[in-house]
Amino acid sequence: MQLIITEKNDAAKKIAGILASGDVEQKSYLRVNYYLFDDSEDRQTAVVGLKGHVVQVDFPPEFSDWRKVEPKALIDAPLVKTEMAKSVIRTVKKLAADADGLIIATDYDREGELIGLEALNLVVEENPKLVRAVRRARFSSLTPGEISKAFSNLDHLSEPLARAGEARQDIDLIWGATLTRFVSLATSRLGSQFLSVGRVQSPTLVLVAEREKERRAFVAEPFWVVRVELDSSGQRFGAVHKTERFVDEAEATAAFEKLTSPGRVAGVKQTSRKVARPAPFNTTSFTSAATSLGFSASAAMRIAEDLYIAGHISYPRTDNTVYPGSLDLREALGVLVKGEFKREAEQLLSRPTLHPSRGNKRSTDHPPIYPTGSPQRAELGEREWRLYELVARRFMATLAEEAVVESNRVDVVVSDEPFFARGSRVASAGWLAYYPYSRQKDQELPSLNEGDSLEMVDKTLDAKETQPPSRYGQGTLIELMEKNNLGTKATRHAIIQNLYDRGYVHGNPVEPTAMGMKMAEALQEFAPRIASPEMTAELEKDMDLISMRDLTKEEVVTISRDLLRQAYGSLDQNRESVATKIYEGITDDRILGDCPKCGTHKIRVVRSKATKKRFVGCEGYPECDQTYPLPQRGDIIGTDEVCPHCGTPKIKVLGGRRPWVLCLDPHCPTKDEYREKKAARAAGGKTTGRRSKAKPKGAPV
């Protein structure tokens, strides 16, 4: 019997359906499904899916007590492998006992190669003969053509690639466990409230905190803008003074007050430019585009993985932005013809040749992300469809023609003051017809000629201020992480999600909490190497060298231990200062706003000494006894917003799958619907009361 091992059950089921020459028999052992069939050569085959990593790297049990083991002892502690999904492991070994051939069909990247090597080691424990009968199937999509081709051209496991993944696993554990324990013990934040520090997470947090410092240090400068609204034969358009920003109010006022009708066209200039097509999607550009549609980075990658397993898109973890010559672009368009994009795909297929756009990153592991299936809209959930459509439209855009945009500028004189107006329109949609996400609304100006008279129908003088640099959105932050070589295509979204989960950041654009700011400052001041991207980038390059056989896993892990030892020494020498700074942030985060009752003190999160439960109380106690109840789970973050209905501060609760925003007053009218539903559930009935337009308590954001 031939045994095929995939990374997940869904992939196992799909591969079995593709390779089987007849029916597929589904069986289970210890509630783990596997699939039996005969392949095209009448060879009996079993396919079983893992659950990702079924073994994990960890420290020996004697290092598990945080209070008894000094964190620095972890730097040089031995590492052991422990089994996690024991029922899966037993099922794999049961099937391996009767196998005479083994095919590893996990995802083709560092993690997938490592998972495959872990599976091989488990199989060999049960059936040592399989070590000489193992082959590797590599594919970029779960489509019949790709799978059949991969299993007809089997390769070998790449141990160097797997060892590179193993090195990352070891290094991240050593760094994360050592630094997390140190900071958590120093600040007495243990249990579920521990404070995490990581090799990639921490410099990413510093990037966010540095941008926040720029914003806070920014000094707004006033300026004034003079605008006029003009009319040409019934067609109105706006124009702005040629001095776009007056820094002197008196000068702006003088220009504004002298303006009287009519105006005159002083010049007309028209230009035409081609707008280049976007590059094919790699993981970073896909995630960035998905976040602009309102998805979090982690949600976008989770849904992309589901679409890949379902056979709708190619493997979503790739650095590549150049379609390989082996990818049949017409065949891929032919797939789209069968679905919702029939018209657009046929338009592209009618072209005699296809010349795809190219990005500046080329790799040989996987192609850029492209559609491999043609599901009907009704077959997918709304979120799944939106991301499938994004991938399909991006693919078509890379094969279309360049867009052509015509721009014109009109210079106008009103009372001897110079003004100008700009207009633009898409003259030839090209790729924008397939990818509307990048298309801006046309702003056309009337047809004008030099010397034409214009009626001034309105004028405005607007006082404005310069704005601080904007916070990073999740997509922009992922692009910045890639630029600084922080993390990998497979881990960046998870790193960002971890910053949210630990309460270091909130919102999107990404805003650091007070604790997040102080954590970043403490690391920058007392352990700058941990806070800088350079050290992490060096280790990333070293791990790449493992996959190229220039370094061994052991050499790179030793290098990382030495770097960590130096960084830890600096932190340990300043333990009290580190703890004090971080605790300042924790204290600041507990301040939620002004007390609505007394108006002179702040309200903050308090924990009862008697019940150990938390609540909100006024700092003016006992003179002011205002209190509010709080959810007992999740981190609480102030939002600097006040509920317009009850006047109490709004808070954000972190800890579930999504953050929740609510005001503090339990009797606020916005919670009427919530209370009605709760009462109805208690009574076993249904609510028929009015529906509040405001979000009920715990409404997700």
Side-chain angles (χ1 to χ4, degrees):
M1 181 187 74
Q2 177 175 252
L3 175 61
I4 300 173
I5 298 179
T6 69
E7 201 159 312
K8 295 179 181 178
N9 175 65
D10 288 345
K13 185 176 182 179
K14 199 163 192 73
I15 288 173
I18 293 171
L19 296 181
S21 60
D23 294 334
V24 175
E25 182 181 5
Q26 177 177 318
K27 289 194 171 186
S28 66
Y29 178 71
L30 300 175
R31 297 185 179 180
V32 176
N33 291 332
Y34 61 94
Y35 308 89
L36 298 176
F37 61 90
D38 291 334
D39 65 13
S40 59
E41 298 178 357
D42 293 327
R43 186 174 186 183
Q44 186 181 20
T45 304
V47 188
V48 64
L50 306 173
K51 290 184 177 179
H53 289 284
V54 292
V55 297
Q56 69 176 357
V57 62
D58 205 348
F59 297 104
E62 58 267 28
F63 291 88
S64 62
D65 193 321
W66 287 34
R67 294 184 182 276
K68 293 182 179 179
V69 178
E70 189 68 24
K72 66 180 179 182
L74 300 177
I75 298 175
D76 294 301
L79 300 178
V80 296
K81 291 286 182 76
T82 60
E83 296 182 353
M84 293 188 294
K86 293 188 177 181
S87 59
V88 174
I89 292 173
R90 288 176 63 184
T91 302
V92 169
K93 288 187 173 182
K94 173 185 178 296
L95 295 171
D98 299 324
D100 55 18
L102 174 65
I103 299 176
I104 300 297
T106 49
D107 294 342
Y108 178 35
D109 55 17
R110 279 185 190 172
E111 286 301 303
E113 211 74 4
L114 176 56
I115 291 170
L117 182 60
E118 292 169 351
L120 173 61
N121 291 335
L122 293 171
V123 164
V124 170
E125 288 178 10
E126 184 68 27
N127 187 346
K129 294 179 181 178
L130 289 176
V131 73
R132 290 188 291 272
V134 61
R135 303 298 296 278
R136 178 68 158 105
R138 294 192 170 94
F139 44 87
S140 296
S141 66
L142 288 169
T143 58
E146 179 97 359
I147 293 300
S148 298
K149 180 180 177 182
F151 280 83
S152 297
N153 297 274
L154 294 171
D155 202 347
H156 297 282
L157 264 173
S158 171
E159 185 171 346
L161 189 61
R163 296 303 180 197
E166 197 171 31
R168 177 184 302 282
Q169 200 177 55
D170 291 359
I171 290 169
D172 287 347
L173 171 66
I174 296 167
W175 279 73
T178 302
L179 297 175
T180 293
R181 287 198 194 185
F182 170 82
V183 171
S184 297
L185 287 167
T187 56
S188 299
R189 293 266 295 199
L190 302 178
S192 62
Q193 298 297 308
F194 74 90
L195 299 179
S196 64
V197 182
R199 181 182 64 87
V200 181
Q201 172 192 296
S202 296
T204 302
L205 175 61
V206 168
L207 292 176
V208 175
E210 284 298 298
R211 174 50 65 97
E212 193 66 19
K213 286 182 183 178
E214 289 180 45
R215 289 175 54 82
R216 295 178 183 180
F218 182 82
V219 178
E221 297 181 356
F223 66 92
W224 291 263
V225 178
V226 179
R227 303 178 189 275
V228 292
E229 187 174 357
L230 304 168
D231 183 283
S232 173
S233 302
Q235 291 183 285
R236 293 189 176 189
F237 66 99
V240 66
H241 197 282
K242 195 170 184 179
T243 303
E244 296 181 60
R245 293 186 175 189
F246 284 91
V247 295
D248 187 315
E249 183 179 10
E251 187 179 337
T253 301
F256 172 77
E257 290 179 345
K258 70 184 289 191
L259 298 175
T260 58
S261 193
R264 175 179 56 81
V265 176
V268 178
K269 183 179 180 181
Q270 293 183 327
T271 58
S272 178
R273 62 184 176 89
K274 291 183 177 180
V275 181
R277 302 166 295 175
F281 267 152
N282 64 3
T283 303
T284 297
S285 55
F286 162 74
T287 310
S288 182
T291 58
S292 70
L293 298 182
F295 292 86
S296 69
S298 60
M301 288 307 299
R302 184 175 63 251
I303 294 171
E305 180 76 17
D306 291 342
L307 292 172
Y308 160 70
I309 293 294
H312 300 320
I313 67 173
S314 63
Y315 192 59
R317 305 186 194 282
T318 175
D319 289 321
N320 205 352
T321 56
V322 178
Y323 296 126
S326 58
L327 178 61
D328 191 327
L329 299 173
R330 289 190 176 275
E331 181 179 305
L333 285 172
V335 170
L336 290 180
V337 168
K338 302 173 185 177
E340 301 274 357
F341 301 103
K342 181 176 186 295
R343 178 181 59 82
E344 294 94 330
E346 285 181 340
Q347 287 176 345
L348 292 170
L349 283 170
S350 67
R351 301 178 64 185
T353 57
L354 294 173
H355 297 290
S357 61
R358 297 166 60 94
N360 55 11
K361 292 196 173 185
R362 187 169 191 170
S363 61
T364 57
D365 52 354
H366 292 285
I369 306 169
Y370 70 97
T372 57
S374 53
Q376 296 298 310
R377 190 174 196 140
E379 295 175 25
L380 300 178
E382 179 190 356
R383 289 162 65 79
E384 288 76 13
W385 172 260
R386 290 175 64 201
L387 289 186
Y388 169 77
E389 181 180 18
L390 178 69
V391 171
R393 289 191 174 281
R394 180 65 162 238
F395 173 66
M396 291 188 290
T398 64
L399 303 178
E401 296 177 339
E402 294 178 322
V404 178
V405 174
E406 291 181 349
S407 302
N408 55 348
R409 171 177 169 137
V410 176
D411 288 294
V412 175
V413 175
V414 181
S415 303
D416 295 327
E417 293 291 333
F419 288 80
F420 71 93
R422 288 195 179 100
S424 66
R425 73 179 187 90
V426 176
S428 175
W431 64 270
L432 289 171
Y434 302 91
Y435 196 75
Y437 313 99
S438 298
R439 184 164 183 167
Q440 297 180 344
K441 186 178 180 181
D442 287 353
Q443 294 183 335
E444 295 193 62
L445 296 176
S447 178
L448 298 168
N449 295 300
E450 187 175 346
D452 286 353
S453 180
L454 302 168
E455 180 185 357
M456 186 186 74
V457 294
D458 195 13
K459 62 179 182 177
T460 57
L461 174 60
D462 296 326
K464 296 180 176 293
E465 287 185 338
T466 54
Q467 297 299 306
S470 60
R471 295 186 176 101
Y472 299 127
Q474 290 191 30
T476 305
L477 184 56
I478 281 183
E479 292 173 355
L480 194 60
M481 291 173 72
E482 182 182 58
K483 179 180 177 182
N484 285 278
N485 207 13
L486 291 172
T488 68
K489 57 184 178 290
T491 62
R492 291 183 184 115
H493 66 284
I495 294 295
I496 292 175
Q497 186 59 47
N498 198 44
L499 293 177
Y500 282 96
D501 293 342
R502 298 316 313 162
Y504 293 143
V505 303
H506 66 104
N508 191 24
V510 186
E511 180 179 356
T513 61
M515 181 173 67
M517 287 292 293
K518 293 300 182 180
M519 175 67 77
E521 290 175 12
L523 293 176
Q524 286 177 291
E525 183 174 351
F526 302 113
R529 294 208 72 181
I530 297 174
S532 72
E534 288 75 15
M535 179 275 300
T536 295
E538 288 173 14
L539 286 175
E540 294 291 347
K541 291 177 181 176
D542 287 343
M543 284 183 271
D544 287 337
L545 292 176
I546 298 174
S547 61
M548 293 185 284
R549 302 177 187 269
D550 291 333
L551 284 174
T552 66
K553 171 206 158 186
E554 290 71 24
E555 288 172 333
V556 173
V557 172
T558 298
I559 291 170
S560 77
R561 290 184 197 267
D562 292 339
L563 291 171
L564 177 56
R565 194 176 295 106
Q566 296 168 22
Y568 186 90
S570 176
L571 281 175
D572 201 23
Q573 290 173 9
N574 298 279
R575 180 184 292 256
E576 289 188 11
S577 298
V578 171
T580 299
K581 186 173 284 291
I582 294 173
Y583 205 76
E584 285 176 11
I586 295 172
T587 303
D588 289 346
D589 277 335
R590 290 175 179 169
I591 304 296
L592 302 180
D594 296 324
C595 178
K597 183 176 181 179
C598 69
T600 57
H601 295 95
K602 300 289 185 182
I603 54 175
R604 65 193 298 271
V605 179
V606 182
R607 190 169 294 276
S608 168
K609 293 182 180 179
T611 65
K612 305 301 181 183
K613 291 186 176 181
R614 64 184 180 184
F615 61 94
V616 174
C618 180
E619 290 185 332
Y621 181 83
E623 288 77 14
C624 179
D625 60 356
Q626 181 64 59
T627 62
Y628 298 99
L630 277 178
Q632 294 304 304
R633 294 184 179 180
D635 286 325
I636 304 295
I637 295 176
T639 64
D640 296 325
E641 296 180 16
V642 174
C643 176
H645 299 275
C646 66
T648 62
K650 288 185 175 182
I651 61 171
K652 182 177 291 186
V653 184
L654 307 176
R657 288 187 61 188
R658 300 180 67 187
W660 300 79
V661 170
L662 64 153
C663 60
L664 291 173
D665 186 355
H667 304 294
C668 178
T670 60
K671 298 172 184 174
D672 287 349
E673 180 186 352
Y674 168 78
R675 284 190 290 270
E676 290 174 10
K677 288 184 176 180
K678 185 176 180 180
R681 285 196 300 269
K686 295 183 178 179
T687 180
T688 56
R690 67 177 178 83
R691 186 172 183 85
S692 170
K693 292 183 179 179
K695 293 179 180 177
K697 179 180 179 181
V701 294

